[in-house]
Amino acid sequence: MAVMCCMTMILPVTAAAAEKTVSVPVSVKLTGTRPYPAETYQIVLQANGANNPMPDGTVGDEFTLNITGESKEPSMINMNYHKVGIYEYTIYQLAGTNKQCTYDKSVYTLKVTISNNADYTDFEANVALRKDNDVNEPVGQKLGGAEFVNRYPVAIPDSPKTGDESSPMLYAVLICASMAVMVGLFLTRKRDQAEE
C-alpha cells in the first residue's frame, strides 16, 4: 500500500516536469499587384487568460509576429506548456498603412488543451484553430493554420506609345511658311531676271 501511495505521488511530479511545445502556422497571401518595396504585416496573438503561456518576445498579453511580403512558407508561433490546462487565444492582423490595400480582418480563435498521457510521463496537446464569423468556412471547422489574404488593386501598365502624337496644326503652319519662302524666292528670281 505504501509503495502504491509513493507511486501515485511520483507520477504527477514526473508529468509536471514535462514540457509540450505547440506550433501554430501563420501565413499571409496577397492578391493584385504586390507593393514595392514589400510591406510588413503584423499578426497578433492575444492571450485570453492571465496565465496562458506565450512565445518569447511577448509584451503584456500580446505577441506580434512580423511577416514581410507574401509567405512562401508559413511562419510558426511557438508556445511551451508546463502544466495541464485549457488555454485560449485570439489571432488577428493589424491593419497596415497602405491606403490601396484591403487588409484581411479575419479573427481566429485558438484553443490549446494540455493533458497528461496515459502513464503520466508526458503531456498531450489538442489544438483547435477556428475562424470566427466566416461565411466561407463551415461552422466549427478546425483549421491547420491561420491565413490572412490582403488584396491590392491590379495595376494596369501604361500602353506603349505608337504613332505620331505631334500636332497636325504645327505641320500645316510649317507647310504654309515653306510655301511662302518658295514663292518669295521665285518672285525675287523673276525680278532679277527681268532686270538683267
Side-chain angles (χ1 to χ4, degrees), residues 32-82:
T33 303
R34 277 69 169 161
Y36 182 82
E39 189 173 353
T40 298
Y41 309 101
Q42 294 183 307
I43 311 301
V44 175
L45 171 78
Q46 184 176 39
N48 295 347
N51 297 318
N52 287 15
M54 295 291 284
D56 292 338
T58 297
V59 177
D61 65 348
E62 292 184 350
F63 169 76
T64 302
L65 173 67
N66 293 319
I67 299 175
T68 301
E70 185 169 41
S71 303
K72 292 182 179 157
E73 295 291 331
S75 298
M76 294 298 193
I77 296 177
N78 301 312
M79 292 165 289
N80 297 319
Y81 296 87
H82 300 282

Side-chain angles (χ1 to χ4, degrees), residues 36-161:
Y36 182 82
E39 189 173 353
T40 298
Y41 309 101
Q42 294 183 307
I43 311 301
V44 175
L45 171 78
Q46 184 176 39
N48 295 347
N51 297 318
N52 287 15
M54 295 291 284
D56 292 338
T58 297
V59 177
D61 65 348
E62 292 184 350
F63 169 76
T64 302
L65 173 67
N66 293 319
I67 299 175
T68 301
E70 185 169 41
S71 303
K72 292 182 179 157
E73 295 291 331
S75 298
M76 294 298 193
I77 296 177
N78 301 312
M79 292 165 289
N80 297 319
Y81 296 87
H82 300 282
K83 62 181 181 178
V84 298
I86 298 173
Y87 307 94
E88 291 191 1
Y89 305 85
T90 301
I91 301 174
Y92 60 94
Q93 176 181 218
L94 294 176
T97 57
N98 188 327
K99 293 182 179 175
Q100 294 186 323
C101 181
T102 302
Y103 296 95
D104 193 336
K105 295 179 181 177
S106 297
V107 176
Y108 293 85
T109 298
L110 173 66
K111 184 177 182 181
V112 179
T113 304
I114 303 295
S115 57
N116 289 313
N117 64 0
D119 58 2
Y120 284 85
T121 57
D122 201 357
F123 290 141
E124 293 179 349
N126 181 2
V127 180
L129 180 67
R130 293 181 172 83
K131 197 171 186 179
D132 297 352
N133 302 324
D134 187 356
V135 294
N136 297 319
E137 298 285 349
V139 175
Q141 179 178 357
K142 285 173 69 169
L143 303 172
E147 181 180 87
F148 297 90
V149 181
N150 296 329
R151 304 179 188 285
Y152 293 89
V154 177
I156 300 171
D158 293 336
S159 56
K161 299 193 189 254

Side-chain angles (χ1 to χ4, degrees), residues 171-193:
Y171 288 119
V173 170
L174 288 174
I175 290 172
C176 290
S178 298
M179 288 182 73
V181 169
M182 287 174 56
V183 168
L185 287 174
F186 178 74
L187 291 176
T188 304
R189 192 176 213 185
K190 278 265 233 195
R191 189 186 59 192
D192 289 345
Q193 285 178 348

